[in-house]
Amino acid sequence: MRKIVKKRAGEKGARSISVIGGADGPTSVFVAGKVKSRKNGDKKEQEQERMLQEIIDRIVPGKRSMEEVCAYLKSELGAEERELEDRRRECMKYNILCRYFPERLPPAPEIEGKHTRARVEKWADECRSRVERIQASAENLDLDMDLRLFELPLVVKGEKIGCFHVEMEMYTGYLSCDWNYDIGDRNVDQRDIREAGERLMAGIIRYRGLASEDIENRTPEFWNYITMEQYLGQR
């Protein structure tokens, strides 16, 4: 993904790139990567667990309500609430269903036997079909939802170059961030843009905090928080 973004950023005429943050993949920080042997794998897992525990030991449990987060976005960051477009609303419902109601999802397809081209293609078709079924389920989800969208400027070195968005669902506690920008002909380093977006996201997630239950059960909120703490610790 980084190579694709970098390539697009360098293409003549490329003027707008969107970057998604706060999705459901933070666990990859601690579990990603291939290992050459079980012994090396054990050492890697032990090191990852040690790093994870160091962050956990620094956490003081205390989780703010979604209403408090909304107030923080408006009063401290100058965010404004926006109307939700249909496409974003559908995506939010899809993500909420995947994150909080996995028991409602159809089983994930698997490749049986040797990974031949035909079997992989069949598996890919089944994956696409599964996503479509989940999207249909999310759209017709019989649940009370209070979806919110907040927008604030994405500022790099004192100059606004895009918008930062915060998606929220008030009942489940779903929170996700994304940002988009248009660099035009300006000489802006992509790393500075990414850092600006991640800094905002980290501040919001840290402000919200974690409950003891999040830490004990290692919820999606826990992994988002852990990822942001790791990011802030590197800065």
Side-chain angles (χ1 to χ4, degrees):
M1 176 59 76
R2 291 182 184 177
K3 290 181 179 179
I4 293 173
V5 171
K6 185 175 181 181
K7 180 180 179 181
R8 287 187 60 189
E11 290 175 354
K12 184 177 181 181
R15 290 292 180 266
S16 181
I17 302 173
S18 294
V19 181
I20 304 300
D24 295 322
T27 51
S28 61
V29 172
F30 293 97
V31 302
K34 295 182 179 179
V35 292
K36 295 182 179 180
S37 69
R38 181 68 262 172
K39 183 178 180 180
N40 289 340
D42 290 341
K43 289 182 178 179
K44 187 176 182 68
E45 289 176 3
Q46 291 172 4
E47 177 62 17
Q48 291 169 342
E49 189 62 32
R50 183 191 66 79
M51 293 169 56
L52 177 60
Q53 192 59 48
E54 286 182 357
I55 297 177
I56 292 174
D57 291 341
R58 297 198 300 266
I59 299 175
V60 178
K63 191 173 184 178
R64 292 183 172 89
S65 68
M66 299 299 278
E67 288 77 11
E68 289 176 304
V69 176
C70 288
Y72 170 77
L73 292 173
K74 293 178 181 179
S75 62
E76 299 298 325
L77 300 183
E80 296 182 0
E81 191 162 0
R82 300 297 191 197
E83 291 290 332
L84 275 165
E85 298 179 352
D86 290 342
R87 180 56 181 165
R88 185 182 285 270
R89 184 183 297 275
E90 291 173 4
C91 289
M92 288 178 67
K93 287 183 177 181
Y94 173 85
N95 291 333
I96 291 167
L97 181 59
C98 292
R99 181 181 294 188
Y100 296 103
F101 306 99
E103 71 281 357
R104 299 196 180 194
L105 305 182
E110 297 181 0
I111 302 176
E112 297 181 1
K114 186 178 180 180
H115 289 194
T116 63
R117 181 183 181 88
R119 286 174 177 167
V120 170
E121 290 178 347
K122 180 176 180 292
W123 171 81
D125 289 338
E126 291 173 348
C127 287
R128 283 190 288 269
S129 176
R130 179 175 183 266
V131 169
E132 291 172 357
R133 294 200 304 274
I134 294 174
Q135 289 174 331
S137 298
E139 183 61 26
N140 299 317
L141 199 61
D142 186 21
L143 291 169
D144 289 332
M145 286 193 183
D146 185 359
L147 302 175
R148 307 279 186 90
L149 175 65
F150 293 90
E151 180 180 291
L152 58 146
L154 181 66
V155 178
V156 177
K157 295 184 177 180
E159 183 178 8
K160 178 185 175 182
I161 67 165
C163 296
F164 184 93
H165 299 101
V166 183
E167 299 177 346
M168 301 174 65
E169 200 288 307
M170 306 302 285
Y171 301 137
T172 59
Y174 171 83
L175 187 153
S176 182
C177 303
D178 68 81
W179 56 95
N180 57 69
Y181 54 91
D182 186 349
I183 59 177
D185 295 323
R186 288 171 289 194
N187 185 21
V188 181
D189 194 317
Q190 300 288 334
R191 291 171 296 183
D192 291 336
I193 297 173
R194 180 181 176 186
E195 182 175 348
E198 290 182 339
R199 193 188 313 115
L200 277 172
M201 181 165 60
I204 293 168
I205 292 175
R206 174 177 273 185
Y207 175 83
R208 186 189 183 194
L210 286 176
S212 298
E213 293 77 8
D214 291 314
I215 300 173
E216 293 171 3
N217 299 322
R218 299 197 174 183
T219 62
E221 287 76 15
F222 168 82
W223 288 114
N224 279 343
Y225 190 97
I226 290 296
T227 302
M228 291 302 100
E229 282 296 311
Q230 187 185 53
Y231 165 77
L232 292 170
Q234 295 171 348
R235 292 298 184 269

